[in-house]
Amino acid sequence: MKPVLATASLYLALLAGAPQHAFAENPAESRQKIEAVIKAFGKAILDKDKEGFMRLFLREDITWVPVYTDASVARYRANLSDPAQPVPKVQGGTPRKFIESIARAPEARSETFDNLRIDTDGEMAQVLFDYSFMVGDYRSAWGKESWQMVRTENGWRIAAVVWSAEENPVPPPKK
C-alpha cells in the first residue's frame, strides 16, 4: 500500500508543478481555434496570400490528395486528344503548388465550407466538411474534404488534406 501512496503523492506533486500548457486544451477552446484556421485558409485563397496560406500547415510536404469522381475522370478523358491516355483518379500535389496556382490565376478563387464537423481531444483533430471551389461566381468543383490537424507550440496546424472532387460538368460561362 505504501508504494501506491508514494506514487500517487509524486504524481500529484508533479501535476501541481506542471505548466498549464502541458495539458490538452478543452475541446470548446480547440474548436474555436480550429475554426479560425479554417477561416484563415479561406481568406488566404481569396487574398492569394501564399505565405499566410503556408503558415497553416505543419510542414510543406504533408499528405495532399484529391480523389476525382469517376464521372469527372471520364469527362476529362473524353476531352483529351488521345482518350487512351491514362488519367489518374487519385492525384497528388502540395499546398504550395495549390496556392501558387491560385495566385497566378487572373480570376478570383474561393472555397466554401459547409456542414463542418470537428472531432478533437485538444491535441489532434479530424475536420470534415462539404466544400465548393469557386472560380469567380462559377462553382468549379465540390465534394468532401478532410483535414488531420495537430496542436503545436505555435498553434493548430494542418497535417494532412484529402478531398473528393466532382468537377462541374457544365463549362464556365464565356466572357
Side-chain angles (χ1 to χ4, degrees), residues 89-157:
K89 179 176 177 60
V90 178
Q91 298 185 15
T94 67
R96 183 162 305 278
K97 287 180 183 174
F98 175 74
I99 194 64
E100 285 177 349
S101 71
I102 288 170
R104 283 190 308 269
E107 311 92 355
R109 307 289 169 106
S110 62
E111 186 169 342
T112 65
F113 309 90
D114 298 303
N115 197 21
L116 179 64
R117 295 163 308 268
I118 298 172
D119 186 14
T120 184
D121 66 357
E123 296 298 342
M124 60 80 63
Q126 167 69 38
V127 179
L128 183 66
F129 52 87
D130 300 328
Y131 79 91
S132 290
F133 189 78
M134 307 295 293
V135 176
D137 293 331
Y138 173 70
R139 187 176 180 214
S140 175
W142 56 87
K144 296 208 178 288
E145 192 163 326
S146 171
W147 296 357
Q148 293 290 316
M149 296 184 71
V150 294
R151 187 172 67 91
T152 72
E153 297 83 5
N154 298 313
W156 283 93
R157 297 294 184 263

Side-chain angles (χ1 to χ4, degrees), residues 20-97:
Q20 178 123 8
H21 69 273
F23 302 101
E25 291 180 331
N26 72 58
E29 184 180 0
S30 292
R31 183 178 176 86
Q32 288 177 335
K33 291 177 179 177
I34 291 166
E35 287 173 349
V37 172
I38 295 165
K39 287 178 185 163
F41 185 96
K43 183 171 177 7
I45 290 172
L46 191 60
D47 294 346
K48 301 182 179 194
D49 178 3
K50 293 188 273 189
E51 294 315 308
F53 188 78
M54 292 309 299
R55 281 192 296 272
L56 302 173
F57 297 91
L58 182 62
R59 315 184 285 277
E60 210 163 302
D61 65 341
I62 68 162
T63 298
W64 184 265
V65 179
V67 58
Y68 290 88
T69 64
D70 293 340
S72 292
V73 170
R75 282 190 300 275
Y76 186 76
R77 186 175 287 125
N79 289 320
L80 293 174
S81 58
D82 176 8
Q85 181 179 344
V87 177
K89 179 176 177 60
V90 178
Q91 298 185 15
T94 67
R96 183 162 305 278
K97 287 180 183 174

